[in-house]
Amino acid sequence: MKEGFRQSMAWLHTWSGLVVGWILFAVFVTGTLSYFRPEISQWTRPELRDVKADANAASKTIATLKERAPNSPRWFITLPEAREPIVRVTYRDPNGGGEGRRGFKTAWLDPSTGEEVKARETRGGDFFYRFHFELSMKPIWGRWVVGFCAMFMFVAIISGVITHKKIFKDFFTLRPRKGQRSWLDAHNAVGVLALPYHVMITYTGLVTLMFMYMPWGVQANYGDNREAFFADATGVAEEVKPANQPGVLTDIEPLLHEARTRWNGAHAAFITINNPSDINSRITIRRDTEGQLANSNRNVVFSGTTGEVLSVAGEPAPASQTRAVMFGLHMATFSSTTLRWLFTLSGLGGILMVASGLVLWTVKRAPERAKLGYTPFGHRLVEVLNIGVITGLPIAVAAFFYANRLLPVALADRPAWEVRVFFAAWLLSFVLPMIPPARVAWTTQLVAGAALFAALPAVNALTTQTHLGITLAQGNWVYAGFDLTMLGIAALLGLTGWYASRTPGSRKPAQRKAPEALNLPAEAERA
Amino acid sequence: MAALTPSYRLSVAARALAAIVGGYALTALASFAMAIFLPLSRAEASMTATLSSFLIYACVVIWVFAARTTWRAWAGIVGSMIVLGALVWLQRQVAAS
């Protein structure tokens, strides 16, 4: 490492990218899927097809909760919205045995009746959402691993930019069918094309969990009293203790009206009711994020018995607002459908950037293999991991959706089985890549992934009443859009597979072009 | 490609350690100091320090790999930590008295 600044940055870019590339690929894929977390959650519960949002959903829900769990210390109510037109309630089950945290239980209610809708047990879109930052590991471990990789990614982006003298020119340069050069050009093009997005999504991703990764700034001023910090920074009122005197909740509808007037007509997204059957009850109504960049505290707090307004969240201070905007940018819940698809395209750009970077590592080392006359273990390992991760993850995602449709509805522990199917399919995807030549494994598994996604709408048609024949006719775009997107993914994977099958294997042309590699631009030298 | 001599490997390992572990320690101390010294309210200073910490970390990592020698990289990390640590310690002494 006695070379110049740019060379050491190229070195840093190559190695920091390789070490975490596989995990980043999975994080990018599941993160991009998570833009559609509500839609995936809907599709994985075909029983919810005909549920419609209702203006009186809140009062009907509260009536149901009064009956079911009057003594729960808290009720959480997620109100229906266009993308997920159903009520989700979380409360402490009086019969105990709730599986969630501290005996809390979640149920889905029909907004127009307040009755529980029985849907199949599944983790739905939440699986990909949690995987995105926890990797299905123990939460703390997973979050640290993802944070570590995100930090590497941030360094890789900065060093990647420094490596490119001619970043603007590179963006317009694609030399197809030139082996290594084409891969480098492709990596540059997708990387630079969505560069602002990559910088934004990496940094804001770190910011979402920043108090866990970097607790020191809070520690300096608040010691271990983190609640005091959050009260100062976000203005969330502290909880009141129950008075242990029975109280009756006032009607919710006027309170919703009051809150909406204060928000210039914006909708309410969540209602939290503390101590619902006590005289010290509190009703907190939270604004939805639609059209709002900042994901900050947007609560109006009412006294539960009198309906008096106790506090209204104001504009946060600049640094808190900055954090709220960064958080909101990462979650992208503010966006319209068009903007969400643009985010998705950028996410796809990220997926391609990571994948092409990983492939580039092996392609770049083809001359070295040619010189040695054999493939060193390290090269082989990277190749197998590349194929298993890049082609195997789409197969695993498809397998998850198949499990959702094909596992018996009554199966005990059903959500866990869906996850097991996901990982089993992914593990199996590492078998074929172990048998050379690599090109066969690339092509076969990409085409297999394409076939699985292409057949998914058909399997959906055979197993549910939420297939395209019905949903398109009804104009139910959540379900129809899902099926159509699966066909789109199938087309993309198929195209990639077709391309992989007809591109000459990386070894031969590289041998032919080995002398040319010496004339590569300086930035590629140590890549 | 440079030959992968043992000394080269050792140098890379030492830099990686300096970047990952040393960089984190320096960043932690820097954000601690920022939270104390920024002329903002307590909450805002803590928030600003935490928000900027990842940028600081990234710059430290880049610098460690760009430094001319591994010794310099380590010296830079340890030196900055001593300065920041002394400032924080002084402030705590003043605040306590």
Side-chain angles (χ1 to χ4, degrees):
Chain A
M1 248 182 295
K2 294 190 179 70
E3 309 91 343
F5 181 56
R6 187 160 281 137
Q7 272 83 12
S8 44
M9 287 302 108
W11 183 94
L12 181 60
H13 181 78
T14 302
W15 293 99
S16 61
L18 181 75
V19 169
V20 298
W22 298 292
I23 291 176
L24 283 179
F25 182 81
V27 168
F28 257 115
V29 169
T30 50
T32 307
L33 284 172
S34 298
Y35 284 139
F36 298 96
R37 179 185 174 194
E39 285 82 1
I40 294 173
S41 291
Q42 285 278 97
W43 187 89
T44 48
R45 296 183 181 91
E47 298 82 0
L48 308 184
R49 187 193 71 190
D50 294 324
V51 172
K52 294 258 175 332
D54 188 280
N56 296 317
S59 39
K60 287 186 174 124
T61 303
I62 287 174
T64 304
L65 282 169
K66 274 183 182 162
E67 223 169 84
R68 276 199 179 193
N71 296 319
S72 171
R74 209 162 302 148
W75 296 338
F76 299 98
I77 304 166
T78 310
L79 294 172
E81 43 130 1
R83 298 172 69 198
E84 217 178 357
I86 192 148
V87 174
R88 171 147 64 168
V89 289
T90 304
Y91 55 89
R92 187 183 281 166
D93 195 353
N95 309 319
E99 62 276 16
R101 266 193 306 169
R102 287 168 296 158
F104 276 83
K105 176 188 156 142
T106 297
W108 280 263
L109 308 184
D110 186 328
S112 54
T113 61
E115 304 276 313
E116 181 164 359
V117 189
K118 280 282 171 211
R120 63 189 60 197
E121 301 259 329
T122 176
R123 291 191 56 202
D126 292 356
F127 172 67
F128 301 109
Y129 172 73
R130 310 286 305 189
F131 189 97
H132 172 65
F133 60 95
E134 288 172 355
L135 304 172
S136 276
M137 298 164 81
K138 285 214 170 77
I140 297 295
W141 283 100
R143 287 172 192 207
W144 274 107
V145 172
V146 173
F148 185 80
C149 295
M151 201 55 225
F152 263 66
M153 162 114 177
F154 191 53
V155 170
I157 289 176
I158 298 176
S159 54
V161 170
I162 296 172
T163 309
H164 288 288
K165 283 196 276 256
K166 302 169 294 185
I167 196 154
F168 188 70
K169 198 176 143 207
D170 271 351
F171 173 49
F172 293 101
T173 312
L174 183 65
R175 290 157 285 194
R177 289 168 223 275
K178 289 246 167 66
Q180 181 190 330
R181 243 187 213 178
S182 309
W183 281 106
L184 183 65
D185 288 347
H187 183 62
N188 290 341
V190 282
V192 175
L193 175 66
L195 187 63
Y197 173 84
H198 297 321
V199 174
M200 178 280 282
I201 210 71
T202 312
Y203 208 87
T204 56
L206 286 164
V207 163
T208 55
L209 293 174
M210 69 182 195
F211 296 118
M212 179 190 155
Y213 297 143
M214 290 286 177
W216 315 108
V218 175
Q219 184 83 26
N221 285 334
Y222 292 88
D224 291 325
N225 191 0
R226 289 165 74 96
E227 282 74 24
F229 166 71
F230 287 114
D232 277 3
T234 60
V236 171
E238 282 183 44
E239 274 179 30
V240 283
K241 295 256 179 322
N244 292 322
Q245 285 170 36
V248 179
L249 282 179
T250 178
D251 186 12
I252 190 81
E253 300 299 339
L255 308 191
L256 280 171
H257 184 77
E258 166 79 33
R260 292 195 57 188
T261 317
R262 283 170 187 269
W263 300 324
N264 300 322
H267 290 274
F270 300 102
I271 303 174
T272 312
I273 303 182
N274 281 314
N275 321 318
S277 302
D278 193 89
I279 197 157
N280 266 354
S281 53
R282 288 282 181 279
I283 301 180
T284 306
I285 303 182
R286 172 182 282 200
R287 210 201 120 142
D288 71 1
T289 42
E290 204 188 325
Q292 245 205 348
L293 214 47
N295 205 326
S296 59
N297 167 27
R298 315 164 298 275
N299 296 342
V300 181
V301 184
F302 297 90
S303 155
T305 45
T306 63
E308 180 196 353
V309 177
L310 298 178
S311 74
V312 183
E315 193 83 341
S320 298
Q321 181 77 329
T322 306
R323 145 120 176 137
V325 168
M326 286 188 161
F327 199 97
L329 272 173
H330 195 84
M331 308 296 282
T333 45
F334 61 86
S335 63
S336 63
T337 310
T338 320
L339 186 56
R340 181 167 301 110
W341 275 103
L342 284 174
F343 268 111
T344 308
L345 280 181
S346 303
L348 192 63
I351 296 169
L352 292 175
M353 174 183 71
V354 176
S356 59
L358 285 169
V359 172
L360 185 57
W361 192 93
T362 54
V363 174
K364 168 83 197 173
R365 278 153 190 76
E368 198 186 326
R369 287 195 291 272
K371 212 159 87 187
L372 286 168
Y374 68 95
T375 306
F377 174 74
H379 293 202
R380 190 78 195 111
L381 180 71
V382 170
E383 193 161 64
V384 170
L385 284 170
N386 277 354
I387 306 173
V389 170
I390 296 171
T391 68
L393 183 55
I395 292 177
V397 171
F400 180 88
F401 294 138
Y402 276 92
N404 177 267
R405 285 301 188 255
L406 297 175
L407 288 176
V409 172
L411 182 69
D413 235 2
R414 197 171 185 278
W417 278 106
E418 287 178 352
V419 175
R420 281 173 202 144
V421 169
F422 171 88
F423 281 108
W426 202 357
L427 265 180
L428 277 176
S429 307
F430 287 89
V431 175
L432 187 58
M434 289 189 207
I435 312 159
R439 179 145 60 109
V440 175
W442 276 111
T443 312
T444 315
Q445 300 209 143
L446 284 168
V447 171
L452 281 172
F453 278 103
L456 196 57
V459 171
N460 185 29
L462 293 174
T463 50
T464 69
Q465 294 303 309
T466 55
H467 55 82
L468 284 171
I470 293 175
T471 52
L472 272 182
Q474 282 183 340
N476 191 334
W477 285 106
V478 171
Y479 288 94
F482 186 100
D483 277 358
L484 293 173
T485 307
M486 294 304 111
L487 294 177
I489 296 175
L492 275 179
L493 286 172
L495 254 158
T496 317
W498 173 73
Y499 182 75
S501 75
R502 59 189 287 282
T503 311
S506 56
R507 250 158 260 182
K508 260 198 318 203
Q511 245 170 348
R512 186 154 35 86
K513 295 222 172 80
E516 206 183 302
L518 297 172
N519 303 327
L520 272 178
E523 64 261 32
E525 208 70 312
R526 296 191 62 87
Chain B
M1 189 162 290
L4 298 178
T5 57
S7 78
Y8 179 82
R9 283 168 198 255
L10 191 71
S11 153
V12 169
R15 280 198 204 229
L17 200 68
I20 297 170
V21 180
Y24 186 85
L26 175 54
T27 308
L29 195 53
S31 72
F32 199 97
M34 267 177 87
I36 293 175
F37 290 114
L38 280 178
L40 298 165
S41 74
R42 278 201 314 167
E44 285 286 283
S46 292
M47 193 68 98
T48 310
T50 314
L51 277 172
S52 32
S53 61
F54 304 108
L55 195 61
I56 299 174
Y57 197 176
C59 291
V60 173
V61 171
I62 300 257
W63 180 78
V64 163
F65 280 95
R68 216 176 311 146
T69 65
T70 308
W71 287 113
R72 249 172 207 263
W74 270 106
I77 297 250
V78 174
S80 323
M81 284 187 72
I82 290 173
V83 172
L84 281 171
L87 281 173
V88 168
W89 181 79
L90 269 175
Q91 194 273 346
R92 290 273 134 136
Q93 296 305 306
V94 173
S97 64

